[in-house]
């Protein structure tokens, strides 16, 4: 069922770039990515409602669910460890963020739900895994911290703008055709529940 | 023998080094289990995740950087002798160690006031770092540091089934907890199970079993030994796999502990330790000499 194609993509991403991606594909990304967690997502949508501009341009952009470990040396921030955080928390906001800000790729871990998958289909976006916990691998692909916005939210929650080179492997788990791999796997596991409980002598 | 002031410094230094060790280096038993999982995994996507994990562990060691950016909440499991000469300054020193490690490693500032949202920025706060303290005979100190990540903590699970269901309830609760957790705790995980005692005690035992017991150590209780084996097979047959992408390895181990329970209640707690198991132990003797182990 799985074939793995490997792509090297550059930001900003076009709709065609992401429409060709399928669940199971691997992507290495070069260009700019922006971190955002719960608080930043909430603020983006608040600003939108109030008609205020947000400090980053996300058209064709990539959002990375990540709260990095950073260090400031002189004027320059350095990302020491920057793996993904659990994406499920951003399910509340992501569909609206994709719709309103033109995001083409969301990177995180653990998968996202039906509303986000629906937005991916409708507006042409994908969701990709960066291996959970692989923080140094990620930091290694971050060539420069371009800037940070909304630092008042705290280091983990701020918008960190990273310049990346061959950032990956990113594994597509939600594509723009409506497949959602993590959900499929977990659904399958749930179907096995009865059988497993029987084997354990529970039922 | 060092003075109290000196002891405070010795403990703070030794423990902050121990936190650093835990944050950067994955313990050998975990590394070995992950390598085995990588070798045996056949699902290509699962294998790619395990490969990235192993590569990441190597890079963290090479560059001396935190292996995962979530450097966790610092939890201490302490056993201290009644006659340990630094006892009076222990608490202060353990808090100071976290402040130092936060700057030196550095750790991500992870302590947030649940009501105001304020983050003091140094990983300390009300009850944090948390200290589990056990007093024993002797004059030494042993501190196990567990920087516990939020992803695996977030799927902790507790049920209080009717006691009449017995061990069947334990098995069901564990299977349901793992299904519910799905991809969220960064599998493959170590699943800790705590039974009995009371709701808080069951969870304490579960977390301690998940985070501090080494993979490959055998449960000395033959009934629990069998239960662990059975659950291990059962959980891996669910096929959630590394990072929830399908595959053989959903769990690396199952560790069960228990306490005697009240006749009316049978708490069953399930705690998860993600693959990025951070743990290190320091032993300090009455002369202030110390060794760090993993
Ligand atoms: S669950 Fe563990 S490995 Fe995954 S991001 Fe959290 S701390 Fe890191």
């Amino acid at each position: 069922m799985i074939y793995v194609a490997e792509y090297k993509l550059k930001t900003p991403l076009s709709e065609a770039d992401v429409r060709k991606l399928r669940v199971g594909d691997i992507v290495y990304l070069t260009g700019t990515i922006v971190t955002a967690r719960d608080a930043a997502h909430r603020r983006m949508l608040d600003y939108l409602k109030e008609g205020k501009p947000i400090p980053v341009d996300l058209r064709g952009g990539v959002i990375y669910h990540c709260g990095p470990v950073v260090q400031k040396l002189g004027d320059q921030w350095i990302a020491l460890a920057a793996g993904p955080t659990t994406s499920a928390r951003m399910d509340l906001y992501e569909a609206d963020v994709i719709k309103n800000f033109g995001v083409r790729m969301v990177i995180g871990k653990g998968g996202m739900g039906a509303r986000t998958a629906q937005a991916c289909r409708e507006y042409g976006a994908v969701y990709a895994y960066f291996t959970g916990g692989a923080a140094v691998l990620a930091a290694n692909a971050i060539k420069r911290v371009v800037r940070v916005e909304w630092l008042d939210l705290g280091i983990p929650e701020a918008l960190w703008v990273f310049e990346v080179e061959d950032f990956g492997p990113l594994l597509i788990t939600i594509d723009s055709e409506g497949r959602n791999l993590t959900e499929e796997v977990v659904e399958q596991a749930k179907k096995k529940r009865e059988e497993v409980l029987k084997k354990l002598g529970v039922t | 023998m060092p003075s109290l002031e000196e002891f405070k410094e010795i403990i703070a230094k030794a423990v902050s080094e121990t936190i650093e060790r835990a944050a950067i280096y994955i313990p050998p038993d975990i590394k070995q289990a992950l390598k085995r999982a990588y070798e045996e995994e056949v699902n290509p996507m699962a294998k790619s995740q395990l490969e990235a994990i192993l590569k990441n562990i190597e890079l963290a060691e090479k560059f001396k950087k935190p292996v995962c950016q979530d450097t966790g909440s610092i939890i201490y499991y302490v056993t201290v002798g009644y006659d340990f000469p630094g006892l009076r300054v222990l608490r202060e020193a353990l808090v100071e160690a976290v402040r130092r490690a936060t700057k030196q490693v550095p750790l991500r500032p992870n302590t947030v006031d649940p009501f105001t949202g304020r983050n003091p920025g140094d990983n300390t706060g009300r009850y944090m770092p948390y200290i589990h303290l056990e007093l024993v005979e002797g004059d030494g100190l042993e501190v196990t540091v567990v920087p516990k990540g939020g992803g695996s903590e977030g799927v902790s699970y507790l049920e209080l089934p009717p006691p009449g269901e017995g061990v069947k309830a334990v098995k069901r609760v564990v299977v349901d907890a793992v299904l519910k957790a799905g991809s969220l705790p960064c599998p493959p995980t170590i699943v800790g199970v705590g039974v009995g005692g009371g709701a808080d005690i069951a969870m304490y035992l579960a977390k301690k079993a998940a985070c501090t017991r080494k993979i490959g150590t055998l449960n000395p209780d033959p009934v629990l030994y069998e239960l662990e084996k059975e659950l291990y097979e059962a959980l891996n047959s669910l096929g959630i796999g590394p990072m929830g992408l399908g595959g053989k390895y959903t769990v690396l181990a199952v560790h069960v502990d228990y306490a005697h329970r009240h006749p009316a209640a049978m708490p069953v707690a399930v705690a998860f330790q993600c693959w990025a198991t951070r743990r290190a132990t320091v032993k300090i003797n009455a002369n202030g000499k110390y060794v760090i182990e993993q």
Side-chain angles (χ1 to χ4, degrees):
Chain A
M1 93 188 193
I2 302 303
Y3 66 96
V4 183
E6 219 179 272
Y7 295 95
K8 291 197 180 237
L9 296 177
K10 283 204 163 65
T11 67
L13 300 171
S14 70
E15 179 160 2
D17 281 339
V18 298
R19 287 274 182 206
K20 73 178 177 217
L21 299 173
R22 294 285 172 273
V23 158
D25 287 350
I26 300 261
V27 175
Y28 288 88
L29 209 57
T30 297
T32 306
I33 65 175
V34 181
T35 70
R37 295 170 44 122
D38 319 42
H41 277 75
R42 209 175 309 130
R43 188 177 283 181
M44 280 184 211
L45 295 175
D46 285 347
Y47 275 32
L48 183 73
K49 228 187 283 164
E50 294 161 16
K52 279 203 275 190
I54 61 167
V56 286
D57 183 359
L58 291 174
R59 280 170 303 176
V62 178
I63 282 188
Y64 183 26
H65 298 153
C66 166
V69 176
V70 288
Q71 201 173 31
K72 199 168 189 179
L73 292 182
D75 282 346
Q76 184 59 43
W77 286 99
I78 295 171
L80 300 179
T85 190
T86 303
S87 298
R89 297 194 314 273
M90 272 61 80
D91 253 331
L92 273 176
Y93 320 104
E94 208 66 85
D96 292 323
V97 167
I98 290 172
K99 176 178 164 192
N100 291 294
F101 295 103
V103 173
R104 293 273 176 226
M105 184 184 282
V106 177
I107 303 169
K109 77 167 179 93
M112 298 192 78
R115 259 195 87 213
T116 304
Q118 169 66 21
C120 285
R121 194 159 49 212
E122 221 168 299
Y123 304 105
V126 289
Y127 171 80
Y129 263 48
F130 194 96
T131 305
V136 189
L137 197 61
N140 226 23
I142 297 172
K143 293 300 147 196
R144 193 165 68 93
V145 177
V146 181
R147 61 184 211 272
V148 56
E149 302 284 349
W150 293 352
L151 196 51
D152 62 296
L153 295 175
I155 283 178
E157 302 283 342
L159 296 174
W160 293 92
V161 182
F162 293 146
E163 187 184 308
V164 296
E165 196 180 306
D166 287 333
F167 187 74
L170 304 168
L171 180 73
I172 304 298
T173 68
I174 297 178
D175 60 26
S176 63
E177 295 216 311
R179 274 197 69 187
N180 186 341
L181 181 65
T182 317
E183 228 172 57
E184 288 170 23
V185 169
V186 174
E187 279 316 306
Q188 249 170 16
K190 282 184 180 154
K191 280 190 200 136
K192 286 196 193 136
R193 179 178 182 269
E194 289 312 313
E195 181 195 320
V196 166
L197 289 182
K198 198 176 263 167
K199 222 173 140 202
L200 285 169
V202 177
T203 47
Chain B
M1 201 168 67
S3 69
L4 266 186
E5 261 321 293
E6 284 164 341
F7 252 117
K8 201 172 131 189
E9 178 53 31
I10 291 166
I11 298 169
K13 178 167 175 285
V15 174
S16 81
E17 282 170 19
T18 311
I19 297 173
E20 175 162 356
R21 177 82 76 89
I24 296 171
Y25 300 91
I26 294 294
D29 57 307
I30 308 288
K31 261 206 287 199
Q32 204 188 341
L34 286 165
K35 273 189 195 141
R36 201 183 108 192
Y38 170 72
E39 278 155 19
E40 291 180 7
E41 193 59 72
V42 283
N43 173 330
M45 280 188 292
K47 215 170 166 90
S48 78
Q49 300 302 300
L50 291 164
E51 190 184 344
I53 285 171
L54 291 172
K55 212 169 178 187
N56 184 66
I57 292 174
E58 236 173 71
L59 287 175
E61 288 177 1
K62 187 168 149 203
F63 297 126
K64 299 198 171 20
K65 286 182 184 174
V67 68
C68 176
Q69 81 290 336
D70 183 356
T71 48
S73 303
I74 305 295
I75 311 295
Y76 288 124
Y77 297 89
V78 179
T79 45
V80 57
Y82 293 107
D83 301 319
F84 177 64
L87 189 54
R88 276 173 177 281
V89 292
L90 178 58
R91 196 166 281 274
E92 269 172 273
L94 289 176
V95 174
E96 172 60 21
V98 170
R99 292 208 173 96
R100 279 190 204 178
T102 300
K103 270 203 210 124
Q104 278 164 15
V105 179
L107 306 176
R108 198 174 71 184
N110 271 347
T111 44
V112 180
D113 182 312
F115 294 102
T116 65
R118 250 200 84 242
N119 185 334
D122 62 1
N123 279 306
T124 71
R126 187 171 158 87
Y127 295 124
M128 296 306 281
Y130 197 84
I131 304 169
H132 294 286
L133 193 67
E134 201 184 326
L135 282 160
V136 294
E137 289 299 332
D139 61 0
L141 169 70
E142 186 175 319
V143 180
T144 294
V145 178
V146 172
K148 181 65 167 43
S152 54
E153 189 69 11
V155 290
S156 309
Y157 190 73
L158 174 79
E159 262 195 55
L160 290 113
E165 282 183 41
V167 69
K168 284 186 182 176
V170 176
K171 293 178 179 174
R172 181 187 55 74
V173 170
V174 174
V175 169
D176 283 344
V178 171
L179 281 174
K180 208 160 165 226
S183 61
L184 300 182
C186 286
T189 59
I190 302 165
V191 175
V193 183
V195 181
D200 58 336
I201 299 159
M203 191 51 86
Y204 161 73
L205 293 173
K207 186 158 165 176
K208 193 174 176 197
C211 304
T212 69
R213 195 177 130 197
K214 287 185 180 162
I215 293 185
T217 54
L218 305 183
N219 199 314
D221 183 317
V223 176
L224 297 189
Y225 171 81
E226 283 305 320
L227 180 64
E228 287 178 359
K229 249 177 46 184
E230 226 185 325
L231 284 171
Y232 175 81
E233 297 296 331
L235 296 176
N236 278 336
S237 74
L238 290 170
I240 292 169
M243 297 298 149
L245 297 169
K248 275 169 90 165
Y249 280 92
T250 305
V251 304
L252 294 173
V254 180
H255 293 163
V256 183
D257 202 358
Y258 73 103
H260 282 69
R261 63 176 176 84
H262 184 278
M266 171 102 167
V268 182
V270 185
F272 293 83
Q273 170 59 63
C274 54
W275 71 260
T277 303
R278 268 69 58 83
R279 109 162 84 80
T281 300
V282 62
K283 291 178 182 156
I284 306 180
N285 70 15
N287 297 321
K289 296 263 177 298
Y290 64 88
V291 282
I292 299 171
E293 294 166 356
Q294 268 187 307

